[in-house]
Amino acid sequence: MNKKEIETAFIKSIPIMCSYLFVGMAYGMMMQEVGFKWYYSLLASLTIYTGAFQFVLITFLSSSAYETVKECLGFTT
């Protein structure tokens, strides 16, 4: 690929990049609203490949199901 092809591909990908930026911001704001620190959002974004599951994860972590799993795994405090 030459420089012109790369430049064209980059310009055409800008709308997709912007949409990911706004979805990522929404995810971070929702995690913060539930009470998690910023680095939990970053860790989830780096380790979870599916974006839709990140939003499901917010519901899971903020529900009583999370407490049940912690108890089953022995992570009670």
Side-chain angles (χ1 to χ4, degrees):
M1 290 191 356
N2 61 21
K3 186 177 178 181
K4 180 70 174 162
E5 290 174 337
I6 293 172
E7 183 179 317
T8 303
F10 177 76
I11 291 171
K12 289 186 182 259
S13 67
I14 289 175
I16 301 297
M17 276 190 325
C18 290
S19 68
Y20 275 109
L21 177 70
F22 290 117
V23 168
M25 287 171 45
Y27 172 70
M29 286 188 262
M30 288 176 70
M31 282 287 279
Q32 187 174 16
E33 185 178 312
V34 172
F36 291 99
K37 303 221 183 278
W38 66 270
Y39 47 85
Y40 288 113
S41 300
L42 180 63
L43 179 65
S45 295
L46 292 174
T47 57
I48 299 171
Y49 184 70
T50 60
F53 182 71
Q54 289 178 320
F55 290 97
V56 172
L57 185 65
I58 295 169
T59 305
F60 175 72
L61 292 177
S62 63
S63 71
S64 61
Y66 178 63
E67 297 301 322
T68 305
V69 169
K70 280 186 0 185
E71 288 176 13
C72 290
L73 295 176
F75 293 125
T76 57
T77 55

